[in-house]
Amino acid sequence: MKIFVDSSIILAFLAGQDERAYKTVEDIEDGIVTGYINAIIVDEVIHGYLRPTTRLSSRRIRQLLAKRNKKTIELIKNDVEPVLRLFISLPISLDPNEKINTIEEHGLMPADSIIVLTCKHHGIDTILTFDEDFKRVPWLNVIP
């Protein structure tokens, strides 16, 4: 089964917040499910993990990364990267008009429209997410 996995699931797994997220990652590790992500998810997971873990602002995290702060980089490499490697990362190639039309048609945020179009372009009709906004896309099966 091919499933696109939203950052909300991966972040819940990293935080140990939800049994469903744990089960998803376990199923991917066991080869029961093939999990897909894209660069938007990678960005959201890294940022979404660093903010609560470091308890720093985005501005301060940006400064630490610019200085190649070893502790911050190690958080990404040791905690986030092993989880992200479980997923197949799909390329993003979008026509700006298609993105804008998707935002308008489904009332989505720009990043969510990229996720939807990634699914569409790669023939994935199921997304695992805690984000209710994806339910506005009629052809996309949203679980849980």
Side-chain angles (χ1 to χ4, degrees):
M1 178 178 206
K2 292 170 52 172
I3 295 178
F4 193 93
V5 181
D6 186 37
S7 58
S8 60
I9 299 295
I10 300 170
L11 288 168
F13 170 80
L14 287 168
Q17 293 177 334
D18 192 280
E19 185 62 34
R20 296 169 294 183
Y22 179 82
K23 175 77 169 107
T24 297
V25 172
E26 189 176 66
D27 286 350
I28 290 168
E29 284 180 313
D30 293 343
I32 297 168
V33 172
T34 304
Y36 294 89
I37 58 174
N38 64 14
I40 296 293
I41 301 303
V42 173
D43 179 71
E44 290 177 351
V45 168
I46 291 171
H47 187 252
Y49 182 75
L50 289 177
R51 285 289 312 273
T53 303
T54 63
R55 295 185 176 157
L56 298 172
S57 68
S58 293
R59 180 173 181 234
R60 182 64 182 132
I61 291 169
R62 185 180 307 113
Q63 291 170 343
L64 291 172
L65 292 173
K67 293 178 182 180
R68 281 109 175 134
N69 177 271
K70 186 174 180 140
K71 184 178 178 182
T72 307
I73 298 296
E74 284 177 0
L75 283 172
I76 298 168
K77 285 187 161 191
N78 296 335
D79 297 351
V80 179
E81 185 178 22
V83 176
L84 292 177
R85 287 191 176 277
L86 296 172
F87 302 90
I88 297 170
S89 187
L90 298 171
I92 299 171
S93 177
L94 302 175
D95 174 339
N97 291 332
E98 186 179 29
K99 180 179 173 180
I100 292 166
N101 289 340
T102 302
I103 291 168
E104 181 181 23
E105 183 177 347
H106 303 295
L108 297 172
M109 293 294 290
D112 289 347
S113 74
I114 294 172
I115 291 168
V116 166
L117 290 170
T118 300
C119 291
K120 180 180 178 183
H121 291 176
H122 292 280
I124 298 171
D125 65 0
T126 303
I127 185 168
L128 183 60
T129 182
F130 295 130
D131 185 342
E132 297 285 320
D133 294 342
F134 291 104
K135 290 182 178 180
R136 293 194 296 268
V137 181
W139 57 265
L140 195 58
N141 300 314
V142 178
I143 52 177

